[in-house]
């Protein structure tokens, strides 16, 4: 049972809630309570940022881990069932996808739109097209809805969960709170040890972000870890149990077909997906297609009842540079595309999981294939790692790939921690993983020209240029570490307002020069360019005599001096 | 005075020297002693990697820091002077560029070729074309020559140096040894505090890699930090002093022209290059072009005498996302292109420094511009940082940019440490910076298809798949950290040979499945694909009856099942 979780505001920030009006299908209006974080700058201005941390970052949060978070969504309208799809008009469901197709804007859509600074109708269209998903199990009323899709800010997921070898429930709940504090948009509980059900219950009830799982892990525990003893019934009951608890999205490795398994066997690293190898083992033993594949429609109908989103798993993802973009990976991806169509026809939202280990030059085509074959479903990738040779630093090898695949259109990035390949992440690793992936996601948002992304860069850079050290820390993804590093070299408080830093020292600072130029110009009522030119005019005669060239190149080959464009 | 530096072999490695024959101009042969590191695998095989660490990683190095490293290059042939260029046929010089153009393969070229696994003639051609540089001051006989150019492995530089605020000579020398231990291909001594000359002397005499400096820093110290008091004479004498000491390449901000300064003044972060702002201040005060620009040919002739390479500095590089690829940056780059032509015409090697802070989508064009305007000179970039919002993690924000700009053709990447923008890097930061940049450089090498790059990834991945934990650690860029992280979860020695890890535990491991499939197949004398198909044949009748489809999709829209390509 969790003893304690991290609470309280982030550095120089306060948690705020804005009211957003949602118009229900009956014309009435519901006020939705939208969370955000306001950073208080020393200039007196506020800077608001997207916030994933739930009530934990309030000044004095009213928390009770046994009870769980407030169930805000219980009071929201749930529209009536609608047709699952044109293909299945008689199948009535209550999912964001079906409602969106029916032209209904749900409270969840309004909430997501406000968080992203976009119009609810735009959100509805993206969900209807299957290009975006809102992972919000109706049994998870505590969740603050968010949207995953290429038209929106790139999201990140943080994995946690105990294993047979290590960790406790309390640690895992704290990891969830800790990960969302630093910006995890969703978390996945990948527990494989004891108390899987109870661990998940604590996490779901207290998580302000969507929770994902890989149900085959728990199913495998029920058969004492022997994949060949797995059955559809055991798996189905596990999925229902998890749906009932409120899991928002589930990784399902239904694309691992029997005939694909040999494609992976001769790889350098074979099958590295745990779920993938479980299904491969089952297929080999049974010598037939897995129950995930043969019972896929039935599975869709279970997920539809709760509006749980499929995260179609890439069981054959490459686990090394050598295996990237190989036949096994691509064969499975095509199958995931077919399954996407089946799921959508039954009203179920879908995202697609992606690699793995991929060298830089092979990354962008992964997004093209996924969008093409999987009908635009949001792509959700693990990294990818751009080299195999840096265990201990795979948050970095993979952040490089994550930024590039995010730029290419991936909607959500699953973090990788420094412990990847070596051990289970502890609390510090979780934070490093989350911040690293916030960087990758933000770099992708900038590259994609996300309308609001650069505002924070500009605000921080202005603070940096003006030596507003505290504002620079406050606007950073991780203020505590920035402050700590600054303290390491210049610990005294005056250094936090000093117009210099430890790199050049007080005698000379490059950024002051620029300010001096600007100040001089402004004092003379000139723009800076005019200030220079005014001075230059005095020297114009001399300048003319030299043929308009301040400096004559010393060889005839060098052409005319350069001019600014 | 340095008290102690880190010595001894890297984990499970031994320093080796291979003899490489060099044919001198008189037809005689000299044996060059080429350093490398051999990683000893548990399979009995050796894996050799490029090594930058000098004698410090020998088992029992014979070191004397006061004396410095052995002066191997003193016994190498130095060919006779040749014409600086066709433009200046009467100017006779002894530089790698001039010799290369004259068709002479120097010992340095032979040495670099062997290190890179390429032909000496290919190296000569790249140097002659100015597409690659060999930074090796004739006064630095201790250096182990290396080559910087887009046709070769991407290199990394580590900055160090004391400042007014902090640090000592001993610390800086240890940082040099420490940085090269982990793979720094060159180091820059950016000292700005006291004892600049003495610090540099210790570093150069003991450095196995090329040393770069920014001479204006020392010149500025001579005028008590007042840039307006700088003169050509003070600067020239400083450069000569540093050339005499053996500095291999020098950053010169000769492209900061008076008329460019106002272009930077209205930026979000103005001028962030220290050298750039020094020159800008001087230009503004004097209201004329800087002595670096007006005396550039004279400067070339000084550098040519020692074969010191120009690193033409980007004094107007962008210091924030907002300022990336702006007029000021591009105007200066065009001027650097002109200066490149002047330097080459006088027989001097040139590389070009690049940004800074650049969002992902604006990175590749930087390489295009640089190669186009600067006539293919090797590009040497600082990062670039792909976002401004993560102080404390700028090794990561910049490694993303570094990998991408390396993939696009950048030859050397200047590292950024976690302390960037916040303080001076300590020993740990230096290591993190170096390893992070080795990752970026290697990711770029893989993406560029460098012939030998993937061998290490494959070797490590095979070790990983076969649970050869010690080999996985040994092949890693940082074996010590990999080992330490593994110990954190599973400290016992048996875990280092166990066929499982802490993620899934002993009961179930995904990678074993793949091995089981492969083992089964091999035991039956089949390839894996045949093994599956053999089993499948038994079921072929049933398979046929279902129309060749194992699983019939549940809606008519889903098309035919996918097939592996």
């Amino acid at each position: 049972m969790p003893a304690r979780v991290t609470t309280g505001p982030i550095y120089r920030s306060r948690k705020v809630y804005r009211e957003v009006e949602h118009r229900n299908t009956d014309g009435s209006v519901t006020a939705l309570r939208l969370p955000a974080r306001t950073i208080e700058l020393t200039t007196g201005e506020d800077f608001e940022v997207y916030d994933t941390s739930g009530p934990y970052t309030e000044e004095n949060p009213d928390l009770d881990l046994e009870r769980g978070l407030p169930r805000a969504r219980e009071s929201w309208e749930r529209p009536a069932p609608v047709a699952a799809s044109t293909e299945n008009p008689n199948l009535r469901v209550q999912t964001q996808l079906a409602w969106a197709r029916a032209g209904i804007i749900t409270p969840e859509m309004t909430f997501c739109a406000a968080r992203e600074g976009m119009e609810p109708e735009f959100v509805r269209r993206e969900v209807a097209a299957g290009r975006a998903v809102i992972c919000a199990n109706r049994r998870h009323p505590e969740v603050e809805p968010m949207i995953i899709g290429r038209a929106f800010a790139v999201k990140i997921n943080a994995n946690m969960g105990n294993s047979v070898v290590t960790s406790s429930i309390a640690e895992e709940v704290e990891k969830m709170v800790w990960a969302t504090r630093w910006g995890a948009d969703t978390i996945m509980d990948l527990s494989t040890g004891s108390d899987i059900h109870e661990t998940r219950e604590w996490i779901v009830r207290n998580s302000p972000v969507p929770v994902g799982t890989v149900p085959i892990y728990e199913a495998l525990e029920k058969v004492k870890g022997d994949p060949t003893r797995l059955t559809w019934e055991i798996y189905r009951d596990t999925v229902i149990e998890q749906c009932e608890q409120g899991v928002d999205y589930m990784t399902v490795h239904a694309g691992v077909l029997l005939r694909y398994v040999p494609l992976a066997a001769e790889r350098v690293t074979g099958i590295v997906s745990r779920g993938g190898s479980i299904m491969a083992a089952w297929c080999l033993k049974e010598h037939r297609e897995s129950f995930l594949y043969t019972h896929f429609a039935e599975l869709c109908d279970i997920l539809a009842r709760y509006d749980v989103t499929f995260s179609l798993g890439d069981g054959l993802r490459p686990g090394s540079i050598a295996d990237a973009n190989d036949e096994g990976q691509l064969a499975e991806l095509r199958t995931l595309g077919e399954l996407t169509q089946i799921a959508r026809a039954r009203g179920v939202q879908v995202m697609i999981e992606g690699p793995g280990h991929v060298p830089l030059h092979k990354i962008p085509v992964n997004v093209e294939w996924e969008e093409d074959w999987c009908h635009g479903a949001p792509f959700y990738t693990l990294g990818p790692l751009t080299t195999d040779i840096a265990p201990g630093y795979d948050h970095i090898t993979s952040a490089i790939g994550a930024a590039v695949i995010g730029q290419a259109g991936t909607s959500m990035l699953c973090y990788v921690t420094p412990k990847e390949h070596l051990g289970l992440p502890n609390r510090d690793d979780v934070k490093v993983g989350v911040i690293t992936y916030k960087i990758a996601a933000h770099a992708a948002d900038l590259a994609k020209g996300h309308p609001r992304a650069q505002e924070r860069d500009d605000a921080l850079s202005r603070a940096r240029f003006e030596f507003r050290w505290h504002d620079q820390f406050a606007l950073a993804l991780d203020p505590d570490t920035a402050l700590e590093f600054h303290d390491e070299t210049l610990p005294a408080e005056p250094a936090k307002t000093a117009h210099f830093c430890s790199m050049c020292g007080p005698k000379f600072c490059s950024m002051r020069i620029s300010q001096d130029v600007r100040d001089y110009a402004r004092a003379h009522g000139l723009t800076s360019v005019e200030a220079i030119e005014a001075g230059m005019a005095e020297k114009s005669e001399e300048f003319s005599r030299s043929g308009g060239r301040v400096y004559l190149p010393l060889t005839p080959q060098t052409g005319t001096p350069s001019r600014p464009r």
Side-chain angles (χ1 to χ4, degrees), chain A:
Chain A
M1 199 186 301
R4 209 172 54 87
V5 295
T6 303
T7 60
I10 291 171
Y11 183 81
R12 295 192 173 219
S13 298
R14 61 177 195 277
K15 182 93 185 190
V16 294
Y17 294 93
R18 286 194 288 125
E19 282 216 347
V20 174
E21 287 196 351
H22 172 71
R23 188 162 300 272
N24 297 310
T25 50
D26 65 2
S28 64
V29 168
T30 303
L32 310 179
R33 202 160 160 263
L34 193 75
R37 173 160 71 96
T38 284
I39 299 168
E40 298 171 347
L41 304 180
T42 58
T43 57
E45 291 164 304
D46 281 346
F47 190 93
E48 194 175 295
V49 294
Y50 191 105
D51 184 76
T52 58
S53 62
Y56 302 100
T57 48
E58 292 174 9
E59 183 69 45
N60 292 302
D62 175 25
L63 294 171
D64 178 344
L65 295 175
E66 303 236 9
R67 184 191 63 203
L69 296 178
R71 300 165 158 258
R73 281 177 72 222
E74 276 179 351
S75 65
W76 295 2
E77 181 193 36
R78 181 184 303 155
V82 293
S85 64
T86 50
E87 297 93 335
N88 290 303
N90 299 323
L91 181 62
R92 314 290 285 184
V93 299
Q94 288 177 299
T95 69
Q96 299 293 328
L97 174 60
W99 284 319
R101 283 168 167 171
I104 298 167
I105 294 173
T106 62
E108 285 79 5
M109 294 175 204
T110 301
F111 191 93
C112 291
R115 273 186 117 167
E116 301 269 341
M118 293 180 180
E119 289 302 313
E121 171 57 19
F122 178 74
V123 167
R124 186 199 63 75
R125 280 207 308 271
E126 290 296 300
V127 173
R131 282 192 300 267
V133 295
I134 296 173
C135 303
N137 184 333
R138 67 165 61 170
R139 298 272 189 186
H140 190 193
E142 302 90 348
V143 79
E144 295 169 349
M146 46 76 75
I147 190 157
I148 301 167
R150 74 169 293 162
F152 305 96
V154 175
K155 304 302 187 297
I156 68 162
N157 170 69
N159 289 337
M160 49 212 58
N162 66 0
S163 87
V164 187
V165 181
T166 177
S167 192
S168 73
I169 293 179
E171 281 176 65
E172 298 312 311
V173 173
E174 163 60 4
K175 276 185 200 166
M176 177 275 291
V177 172
W178 187 238
T180 56
R181 179 180 184 87
W182 298 113
D185 293 288
T186 78
I187 64 110
M188 288 192 82
D189 174 16
L190 304 183
S191 293
T192 59
S194 50
D195 307 321
I196 294 185
H197 182 98
E198 199 191 344
T199 302
R200 190 172 52 239
E201 184 66 23
W202 281 98
I203 289 177
V204 173
R205 294 286 73 79
N206 290 290
S207 175
V209 302
V211 176
T213 60
V214 187
I216 201 79
Y217 290 1
E218 185 174 8
L220 188 70
E221 293 300 322
K222 293 180 180 174
V223 293
K224 314 278 180 223
D226 179 359
T228 63
R229 289 176 53 203
L230 284 166
T231 64
W232 161 244
E233 290 71 25
I234 290 168
Y235 182 77
R236 180 197 59 202
D237 293 349
T238 307
V239 166
I240 292 171
E241 172 193 336
Q242 297 198 6
C243 285
E244 285 284 330
Q245 272 188 306
V247 169
D248 300 287
Y249 66 91
M250 295 182 185
T251 296
V252 178
H253 299 93
V256 179
L257 301 192
L258 178 60
R259 63 182 176 276
Y260 301 160
V261 178
L263 297 177
E266 292 297 326
R267 284 171 160 182
V268 167
T269 44
I271 299 176
V272 295
S273 154
R274 191 159 182 269
S277 61
I278 293 168
M279 297 324 298
W282 193 94
C283 290
L284 289 179
K285 171 70 176 356
E286 294 282 325
H287 220 287
R288 56 184 174 126
E289 299 303 352
S290 79
F291 48 83
L292 298 180
Y293 188 69
T294 56
H295 289 266
F296 189 72
E298 202 175 335
L299 192 54
C300 290
D301 295 345
I302 297 169
L303 266 59
R305 281 203 290 280
Y306 301 86
D307 200 4
V308 170
T309 302
F310 271 116
S311 185
L312 293 178
D314 54 338
L316 301 182
R317 69 167 179 266
S320 57
I321 292 297
D323 298 340
N325 295 14
D326 75 349
E327 253 185 88
Q329 179 195 334
L330 302 191
E332 183 188 32
L333 185 62
R334 286 183 190 273
T335 298
L336 298 186
E338 293 168 33
L339 297 172
T340 299
Q341 295 283 65
I342 297 172
R344 286 186 186 164
R346 306 193 81 82
V348 185
Q349 303 184 93
V350 177
M351 51 187 175
I352 304 289
E353 296 186 8
H357 292 235
V358 187
L360 274 173
H361 62 300
K362 292 187 176 176
I363 287 176
V365 73
N366 271 277
V367 180
E368 289 172 35
W369 287 328
E370 189 275 338
E371 292 188 344
D372 189 13
W373 302 347
C374 298
H375 317 283
F379 204 18
Y380 168 28
T381 61
L382 179 67
L385 285 68
T386 52
T387 169
D388 307 338
I389 68 169
Y393 298 81
D394 279 330
H395 58 310
I396 298 176
T397 66
S398 68
I400 293 169
V404 169
I405 209 163
Q407 176 185 16
T410 290
S411 302
M412 186 155 74
L413 307 169
C414 181
Y415 87 172
V416 172
T417 76
K419 290 284 167 60
E420 184 74 13
H421 296 120
L422 299 171
L424 279 178
N426 60 27
R427 195 167 166 276
D428 289 344
D429 298 320
V430 166
K431 180 175 176 183
V432 169
V434 167
I435 299 287
T436 300
Y437 270 67
K438 290 299 284 182
I439 289 168
H442 188 76
D445 283 342
L446 287 173
K448 287 165 67 178
H450 188 281
R452 299 195 308 194
Q454 201 183 312
E455 290 171 12
R456 189 164 175 181
D457 295 79
D458 293 351
L460 190 144
S461 287
R462 272 192 295 270
R464 181 172 283 158
F465 189 61
E466 291 164 10
F467 297 101
R468 287 185 275 115
W469 288 99
H470 282 298
D471 291 348
Q472 189 184 156
F473 305 148
L475 287 159
L477 286 177
D478 177 1
D480 301 347
T481 296
L483 180 61
E484 180 194 321
F485 282 4
H486 191 260
D487 279 350
E488 218 176 277
T489 318
L490 291 173
E493 178 56 29
K496 301 290 183 287
T497 50
H499 277 207
F500 66 92
C501 67
S502 58
M503 281 74 85
C504 299
K507 274 206 299 185
F508 192 77
C509 167
S510 62
M511 292 212 285
R512 285 182 67 168
I513 294 285
S514 309
Q515 292 186 0
D516 290 348
V517 176
R518 192 149 70 183
D519 294 348
Y520 172 86
R522 285 177 179 166
H524 292 75
L526 302 165
T527 67
S528 303
V529 178
E530 285 167 345
I532 302 292
E533 285 175 354
M536 215 171 228
E538 298 164 22
K539 303 222 174 192
S540 65
E541 208 188 322
E542 179 194 331
F543 188 69
S544 301
R545 277 200 304 275
S546 74
R549 292 164 76 166
V550 176
Y551 170 59
L552 294 171
L554 294 151
T555 68
Q557 282 70 28
T558 55
T560 54
S562 58
R563 306 287 304 179
R565 300 192 319 167

